[in-house]
Amino acid sequence: MLNSRSPLIIVAVSLVVLPFALDLVGLPLRSSIDVVAFAVACMGLNILVGNTGLVSFGHGAWFGLGAYAAALSQRYWFPGSVSLPALFALVFVAVSAVLSGALILRRRGVYFSLLTLALTALLFAIGYRWTEFTGGESGLGGVTRAMVLGIDLERDGNYYWVVAGVAMGVCFLLWRFHRSPVGSVLVAIRENEQRARFIGYPTNRYKLIGFVLSATIVAVAGTLSVFNHRFASAEPLSVAFSGELIAMVVIGGMRSFLGPALGALFFILFREFLSIWTPHWLFYFGLLFIGFVVFSPTGLVGVGERLLAPIRKREITAAAMAGRKTADVLSLPPSLLRANENDRLALSARNLEKSFGGIHAVRGFDLSVRDKTLHALIGPNGAGKTTAFNVLSGLYAPDAGSVELEGTSIGGLKPEDITRAGVGRSFQITNLFVGLSVEENIRLAIQARSHMRYAMWRSTASLTDIQAETAELIRYLGLAGIENAEASSLSYGGQRVLDMGLALATQPRILLLDEPLAGLAVGERERIAKLIKAISAEIPILLVEHDIDRVFRIADHVTVMNDGAVLVDGSADDARNNDKVRAIYIGSGTAAVAMQPRAEFARFDQLLCVDRINTYYGKSHILNDVSFDVRKHEIIALLGRNGAGKSTLLKSLVGIARPEAGSIRLLDQETVGLPSAAIARRGIGYVPQGRGLFAGMTVADNLVLGRLKRTTGDGIHWSDERIVAIFPRLAERWNTPADYLSGGEQQMVAVARALAGNVQVLLLDEPFEGLSPAVTQELFEVFDRLRQEIALVIVDHHLDLALGLSDRTVVLERGTVTWNGVSTLLKDDLDLRRKVLWM
């Protein structure tokens, strides 16, 4: 977000200096006017491309329409006038943008871009062929300037200062707009449109606002240009012209406020000077554009930052979570309290049905959640719990059945409407605005229910009530001290807390939490469980969670699902003591599995050696001189609190996060500095947290892609037959899209994909996260068998499982190894475990 006025000062100084600077290099004043007009157009286009993430291939249409509207209205209606034709052009383009935007914005991604391309192609055909009205290929001349407020605009010098004044006004408007609530929502849409909808924003409406404002500002540029050249033509309506505008934005830097203006200056200078030497200057400009896309996606602004980096003092900080200040505050902020009756029915669902092709994910589902209760929805992976959540919250429309919130029907409504009605939800896979800070994430959710959410002039910083409520909720969640950290820089546990905070910030009448404890360390899990229980005393909660012992301890009511339908609905004791529930869900219990003795296969041969590696994320020093080794057929457990650096260490081993110092040797071959693809081909398999499957592709396709480039390296070759032998369930799902599988089946596919090819070491990041006890037991046994073939490095917050499975344990604290020893010592000695793990 832009908080200082320095961009406006830079604009003002640049506008004063520009005509004199270009005069020194032999360019006329009209070139200066062109620079300013193109800069305005690019900054207008950047509202969509840089801020909203919508790539328009036809924005030159608004430049051309503005020019034609001004020229034609001067000729037929306002002869001798400048201001009235300019005003008419802006109104005409704004109305046209509203009508076309309402249609074009119905489509997203590439379809949006293609529709904008089709629009400009259509308008170009009209402008080029309608000779009687537009002048056709000869253009429309005779555009004149006039006296305005006693200023003779026929003189180029006077006209330049008028253009500069207009440009300054546009920059000030954009500066205010980008700092406003609407501007912040457009950035949120760029980062994560789905999450923006689930905190209550009708994103299509906001995108239309951005589209119309963008088109109107580009039309301002077209109007300034037509009076500069006194001539209108169909050229700006061409696809090529729109491409040039995009090129200017990208070359300048589309994530920067003034980057697009810098790109416009670069384009004009490049065109003016290179066209002297060759008529094919656009060819060389195209090559330059490709170079910027490949080597400097952040444009000239990014080039400047890299050139200045060596002379700037590098600020080194600890990991983002290191500054966190937690506090046991269990009383809800006053803004979230509601005076409801305890026995009131908060949410009810009757006979819900939802199918995906031939898969009946939810069938005949009934649910009743009473006010001020904690209602748990449990069941094995694939039971339909998350699908039921998605139907209740509006991600999917039900095929049949009804959903009511406090007696009002909400079934089939859009997610933003259901959120505004009072249903707040978190997600099984964290769903955040990852490029924004913690404070911005929470503020966006609170702002969504404010009457100022459509403000385009007020600064978000001036909305003191929203700011105060944001700070209060951040303290309540235990995220104080890291308000300015990017959401992406938080540990997975920190992201889960923030995800729950976004749901809570919507001021819900009921809270739907999908596995909020998954991936949390023991201490954090206990704190968040207490928090959830305290919240349920004021706001009813529907909870999906696989930590079954904790669920039975804190839940007021339990509904057990299996195969898309309700199996048991009653108290925790009803669910705990039901034989069917125990058979299909609980199994023999993970604690019993973890305590069973395991055969050792580890050798003394060193397979992987990590020596004093240091890894940074920007300014944050995540790993500090980390050293350990992995032997053949050994299982290493990496343990530590959230934010300790465990996931970063796995990413460093596989090359996703490249260490800046230190050594990683696989069978005495150095891997630091190699791309992650080359490291994978050498025999390191990686299963990321969250699985990272190729959605829409079948199980077979995922395995083919996992094996495609990894059959020439060292290690054990895992054919489809061997994989099916250890995961027989996958044979039944072989041609099923991966995103249609249950969470447990998806985890199996993720492990199988990592094994596919030749593997010596398998890295597992939270492999038991979000799995039912029965599936957890199944995977535990698989990993135990795999040690006979390969070595494994496992990160998991389920301590009993990690310690029961592993041969040795490496403990991290704030990126440093604090303990390295035999796992049985921590497994059997609880006092040592508390001392080493702070748990």
Side-chain angles (χ1 to χ4, degrees):
M1 301 296 175
L2 300 167
N3 293 317
S4 73
R5 295 180 180 270
S6 56
L8 298 180
I9 297 172
I10 293 172
V11 169
V13 172
S14 299
L15 289 172
V16 171
V17 172
L18 180 65
F20 303 103
L22 294 191
D23 182 59
L24 290 176
V25 297
L27 294 180
L29 196 56
R30 288 193 179 184
S31 294
S32 298
I33 298 172
D34 276 342
V35 169
V36 176
F38 276 83
V40 169
C42 290
M43 293 182 74
L45 173 58
N46 200 45
I47 295 173
L48 290 186
V49 177
N51 289 84
T52 315
L54 298 173
V55 180
S56 171
F57 289 145
H59 239 53
W62 309 117
F63 191 101
L65 278 181
Y68 266 125
L72 289 169
S73 63
Q74 187 188 65
R75 168 177 286 191
Y76 293 110
W77 296 330
F78 314 113
S81 175
V82 172
S83 54
L84 289 177
L87 182 62
F88 171 79
L90 300 188
V91 172
F92 175 77
V93 167
V95 172
S96 301
V98 169
L99 298 176
S100 60
L103 174 65
I104 292 173
L105 289 167
R106 291 175 179 269
R107 293 292 177 262
R108 300 176 184 176
V110 67
Y111 297 105
F112 167 82
S113 300
L114 289 175
L115 284 174
T116 61
L117 185 67
L119 174 66
T120 195
L122 176 66
L123 291 176
F124 176 74
I126 295 172
Y128 193 74
R129 301 292 182 185
W130 198 357
T131 305
E132 297 81 4
F133 189 59
T134 65
E137 58 182 308
S138 300
L140 189 68
V143 178
T144 62
R145 301 180 200 156
M147 297 284 292
V148 175
L149 300 177
I151 303 173
D152 184 8
L153 299 186
E154 289 292 341
R155 295 183 57 192
D156 284 348
N158 290 342
Y159 185 63
Y160 171 80
W161 295 113
V162 170
V163 170
V166 171
M168 189 70 212
V170 168
C171 287
F172 182 68
L173 182 150
L174 289 177
W175 181 75
R176 293 295 296 257
F177 176 77
H178 289 316
R179 298 166 69 242
S180 72
V182 172
S184 67
V185 174
L186 294 183
V187 174
I189 291 171
R190 179 194 73 197
E191 293 292 323
N192 188 341
E193 183 174 356
Q194 184 194 72
R195 192 47 158 154
R197 297 184 72 192
F198 274 97
I199 58 174
Y201 290 111
T203 54
N204 278 347
R205 195 175 303 172
Y206 281 89
K207 288 191 290 186
L208 182 59
I209 292 172
F211 187 86
V212 172
L213 181 61
S214 175
T216 305
I217 289 176
V218 173
V220 170
T223 304
L224 296 176
S225 180
V226 78
F227 285 114
N228 182 36
H229 296 283
R230 307 168 193 262
F231 176 82
S233 73
E235 181 188 355
L237 297 171
S238 67
V239 173
F241 183 81
S242 293
E244 290 172 5
L245 288 181
I246 291 179
M248 293 180 220
V249 172
V250 172
I251 287 176
M254 60 183 176
R255 293 294 173 89
S256 167
F257 180 67
L258 294 179
L262 183 61
L265 173 63
F266 180 86
F267 176 82
I268 297 296
L269 293 177
F270 193 95
R271 180 188 69 183
E272 295 296 334
F273 287 110
L274 199 61
S275 61
I276 297 174
W277 302 100
T278 174
H280 307 297
W281 66 273
L282 264 176
F283 171 77
Y284 297 101
F285 182 78
L287 292 178
L288 189 68
F289 175 70
I290 293 172
F292 270 101
V293 171
V294 173
F295 299 108
S296 182
T298 51
L300 289 169
V301 172
V303 171
E305 289 175 348
R306 285 198 292 274
L307 290 175
L308 293 174
I311 62 176
R312 287 178 175 170
K313 183 179 179 181
R314 185 177 183 183
E315 297 180 20
I316 304 298
T317 63
M321 297 295 290
R324 182 181 178 191
K325 303 171 185 175
T326 60
D328 291 328
V329 181
L330 296 181
S331 57
L332 268 176
S335 59
L336 300 179
L337 296 177
R338 298 177 65 242
N340 292 341
E341 299 176 7
N342 289 347
D343 199 39
R344 185 174 181 177
L345 192 61
L347 181 72
S348 65
R350 295 289 177 267
N351 296 314
L352 278 189
E353 303 275 347
K354 186 62 187 178
S355 300
F356 301 98
I359 299 175
H360 298 285
V362 173
R363 48 186 174 182
F365 177 71
D366 291 335
L367 180 75
S368 296
V369 181
R370 309 209 76 81
D371 192 25
K372 298 186 178 181
T373 61
L374 179 54
H375 191 124
L377 180 63
I378 65 173
N381 293 108
K385 305 181 299 297
T386 296
T387 301
F389 254 47
N390 290 336
V391 172
L392 294 173
S393 61
L395 184 61
Y396 303 142
D399 296 334
S402 64
V403 182
E404 292 186 353
L405 177 66
E406 295 182 352
T408 302
S409 176
I410 59 171
L413 296 181
K414 296 176 181 178
E416 56 267 33
D417 294 330
I418 291 179
T419 299
R420 292 189 63 78
V423 177
R425 71 159 295 180
S426 68
F427 287 79
Q428 185 179 29
I429 305 298
T430 54
N431 202 354
L432 306 170
F433 306 110
V434 293
L436 304 183
S437 69
V438 170
E439 186 272 337
E440 287 170 326
N441 271 264
I442 297 296
R443 179 180 51 73
L444 279 164
I446 292 173
Q447 177 184 285
R449 50 184 168 81
S450 168
H451 68 283
M452 297 298 294
R453 61 187 177 277
Y454 285 111
M456 291 188 285
W457 193 251
R458 288 281 301 275
S459 167
T460 55
S462 68
L463 303 176
T464 54
D465 54 337
I466 293 177
Q467 297 289 71
E469 195 174 333
T470 299
E472 186 177 41
L473 184 54
I474 286 174
R475 286 193 299 271
Y476 177 72
L477 294 169
L479 297 174
I482 57 173
E483 297 92 337
N484 296 321
E486 275 194 9
S488 61
S489 70
L490 302 184
S491 68
Y492 190 72
Q495 291 184 16
R496 293 215 72 90
V497 175
L498 182 57
D499 192 38
M500 186 177 75
L502 286 179
L504 195 57
T506 62
Q507 204 176 56
R509 293 154 72 179
I510 184 170
L511 196 57
L512 277 57
L513 300 180
D514 199 351
E515 299 189 28
L517 305 181
L520 299 184
V522 176
E524 185 76 344
R525 185 183 294 250
E526 187 66 29
R527 190 183 77 85
I528 297 303
K530 289 181 181 178
L531 196 66
I532 290 171
K533 184 62 177 176
I535 292 171
S536 69
E538 298 292 342
I539 301 171
I541 292 178
L542 180 61
L543 172 73
V544 168
E545 181 53 57
H546 283 302
D547 187 341
I548 196 68
D549 292 331
R550 202 175 303 273
V551 166
F552 287 155
R553 201 160 60 240
I554 65 176
D556 300 306
H557 195 96
V558 177
T559 298
V560 184
M561 287 187 72
N562 185 44
D563 198 22
V566 174
L567 180 65
V568 174
D569 185 63
S571 67
D573 286 338
D574 293 335
R576 183 190 289 112
N577 299 324
N578 187 282
D579 292 337
K580 290 183 179 179
V581 173
R582 183 171 295 280
I584 59 103
Y585 184 60
I586 300 176
S588 61
T590 55
V593 172
M595 294 305 293
Q596 292 177 5
R598 302 284 161 182
E600 292 188 11
F601 294 91
R603 302 178 185 173
F604 290 103
D605 313 44
Q606 189 182 76
L607 178 61
L608 183 71
C609 179
V610 180
D611 185 22
R612 300 175 65 84
I613 65 168
N614 288 264
T615 302
Y616 295 80
Y617 285 156
K619 300 176 183 178
S620 299
H621 194 174
I622 307 299
L623 299 180
N624 189 358
D625 287 340
V626 170
S627 300
F628 70 99
D629 68 334
V630 181
R631 298 160 192 165
K632 291 184 178 180
H633 303 288
E634 184 178 37
I635 299 182
I636 296 289
L638 288 179
L639 302 181
R641 296 186 294 178
N642 290 113
K646 306 181 297 298
S647 294
T648 301
L649 179 51
L650 294 188
K651 291 176 182 177
S652 297
L653 296 179
V654 79
I656 296 173
R658 183 172 297 184
E660 291 196 13
S663 171
I664 302 173
R665 295 187 301 278
L666 179 64
L667 287 177
D668 291 328
Q669 291 184 319
E670 184 63 53
T671 64
V672 170
L674 293 179
S676 54
I679 295 174
R681 285 194 291 271
R682 290 196 176 185
I684 296 184
Y686 174 55
V687 181
Q689 189 171 19
R691 297 150 194 160
L693 297 179
F694 302 117
M697 293 187 176
T698 65
V699 171
D701 293 336
N702 271 269
L703 266 59
V704 167
L705 287 173
R707 181 181 295 113
L708 193 60
K709 294 292 185 179
R710 298 169 57 220
T711 56
T712 58
D714 298 321
I716 303 297
H717 178 72
W718 291 87
S719 64
D720 288 343
E721 291 74 20
R722 292 190 70 181
I723 288 173
V724 169
I726 61 172
F727 292 122
R729 196 185 306 194
L730 295 186
E732 305 170 11
R733 302 284 190 265
W734 200 250
N735 295 312
T736 302
D739 45 331
Y740 282 10
L741 303 179
S742 69
E745 291 167 343
Q746 288 184 9
Q747 189 66 56
M748 293 176 189
V749 176
V751 174
R753 185 185 60 187
L755 286 173
N758 296 337
V759 175
Q760 301 182 79
V761 182
L762 182 63
L763 311 180
L764 301 165
D765 197 353
E766 299 287 353
F768 303 123
E769 176 191 322
L771 303 184
S772 68
V775 174
T776 297
Q777 179 179 340
E778 185 177 346
L779 274 175
F780 186 97
E781 299 293 350
V782 166
F783 298 148
D784 189 42
R785 293 202 305 271
L786 285 177
R787 78 166 88 214
Q788 301 177 39
E789 308 280 354
I790 58 176
L792 295 91
V793 179
I794 180 170
V795 169
D796 203 276
H797 281 108
H798 198 308
L799 296 183
D800 289 334
L801 289 174
L803 294 173
L805 184 65
S806 60
D807 300 295
R808 282 191 297 131
T809 296
V810 176
V811 177
L812 291 179
E813 177 62 28
R814 297 194 177 184
T816 302
V817 175
T818 57
W819 197 86
N820 186 340
V822 179
S823 295
T824 52
L825 295 177
L826 294 178
K827 177 183 174 183
D828 300 333
D829 190 338
L830 293 180
D831 290 334
L832 178 62
R833 186 189 299 189
R834 293 189 187 97
K835 179 181 177 181
V836 170
L837 295 171
W838 294 27
M839 296 170 182

